[in-house]
């Protein structure tokens, strides 16, 4: 056996969406903050993301997280989030997966009935409350970074679809929120091809016409997620298909997307604080969200979201890079 690199991982899925947690083989990334480490990784080591996320080691909807030492004294671990679409500031389903992996592999001190894990992420500090019974993580509630509404009732001309009305909110990433009904669609697996085509077209049109920029971090400046909401969804129970760049669906209900959706509903006066909100994915899996307070992002009003979901470990792995491998950075079809 020959290999110029070896990566150690713990595999998991959160409500159907994979999180490949990289526990060894990358080393500590340069940077005084996790956002600096993320930017360094994008500039110098993005080939590792492609190697681990793309085929043949991954697939077109792969997602993962690289464990790092924390850069701040109030955090237990640092995380850099990776997926086929890029290196994210924050990932909700990935955080639930990371917290579950840390508990069930003993990489944090475990206490029952609740183990608290503080994660240093590029988007800020994220606190995880892990419900533990008999050493197993039964559910994870993450207290996410502040979420806010960027715009309401915006319009964009989308080639092939005409004028589309959308809201845009931030929950760790930017999300365009679109009523699928205005596109003549329902959130149904049978319409997945049309939903994905519509979501990607809306995404491209927004980024071309009026790309969002985070008021405190100008490096967060693109919309790579479109939440296509099923007609009849409301502030108690919403169903959606999450189209993601460059062309796939989130299998989970999406933690940062749930946070953004709650911020949008709060701004519209439809979702009050301390009220459960059920968010359902295209495959029927669910997160339960709740807004627990108000805050601000720059000079914009914001809310503090929590999201509760479940993750399961599916295995461990070692990935090699043979020096003669013709696809040292993988490939996507």
């Amino acid at each position: 056996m020959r290999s110029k690199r070896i990566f150690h991982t713990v595999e998991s899925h959160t409500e159907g969406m994979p999180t490949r947690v990289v526990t060894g083989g990358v080393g500590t990334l340069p940077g005084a903050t996790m956002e600096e480490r993320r930017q360094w990784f994008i500039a110098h080591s993005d080939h590792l993301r492609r190697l681990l996320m793309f085929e043949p080691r991954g697939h077109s909807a792969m997602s993962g997280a690289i464990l790092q030492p924390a850069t701040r004294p109030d955090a237990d671990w640092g995380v850099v989030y990776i997926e086929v679409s890029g290196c994210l500031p924050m990932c909700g389903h990935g955080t639930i997966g990371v917290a579950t992996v840390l508990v069930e592999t003993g990489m944090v001190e475990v206490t029952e009935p609740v183990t608290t894990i503080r994660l240093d992420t590029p988007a800020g500090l994220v606190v995880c409350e892990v419900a533990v019974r008999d050493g197993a993580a039964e559910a994870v509630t993450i207290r996410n970074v502040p979420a806010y509404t960027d715009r309401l009732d915006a319009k964009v001309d989308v080639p092939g679809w005409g004028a589309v009305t959308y809201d845009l909110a931030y929950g760790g990433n930017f999300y365009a929120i679109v009523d699928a009904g205005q596109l003549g669609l329902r959130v149904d697996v049978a319409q997945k091809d049309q939903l994905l085509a519509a979501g990607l077209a809306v995404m491209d049109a927004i980024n071309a016409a009026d790309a969002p920029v985070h008021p405190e971090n100008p490096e967060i400046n693109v919309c790579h997620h479109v939440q296509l909401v099923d007609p009849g969804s409301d502030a108690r129970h919403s169903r959606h298909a999450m189209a993601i760049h460059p062309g796939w669906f989130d299998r989970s209900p999406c933690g940062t997307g749930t946070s953004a959706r709650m911020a949008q509903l709060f701004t519209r006066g439809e979702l009050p604080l301390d009220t459960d909100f059920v968010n359902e994915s295209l495959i029927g899996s669910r997160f339960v969200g709740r807004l627990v307070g108000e805050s601000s992002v720059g000079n914009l009003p914001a809310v503090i979201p929590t999201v509760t979901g479940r993750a399961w470990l599916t295995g461990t792995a070692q990935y090699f890079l043979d020096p003669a491998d013709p696809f040292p950075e993988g490939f996507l079809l």
Side-chain angles (χ1 to χ4, degrees), residues 10 26 32 35 40 71 174 236 275 308:
V10 180
V26 173
E35 174 60 15
W40 187 92
T71 65
F174 281 113
R236 295 184 62 189
T275 303
T308 301

Side-chain angles (χ1 to χ4, degrees), residues 111-151:
T111 60
E112 299 189 22
V114 176
T115 296
T116 300
I117 304 172
R118 301 168 69 85
L119 295 178
D120 183 7
T121 82
L125 184 70
V126 175
V127 179
C128 309
E129 300 287 342
V130 186
V132 182
R133 183 168 62 177
D134 297 330
E138 295 193 319
V140 180
T141 297
I142 64 171
R143 184 183 177 97
N144 199 6
V145 298
Y148 71 92
T149 299
D150 182 273
R151 63 195 75 158

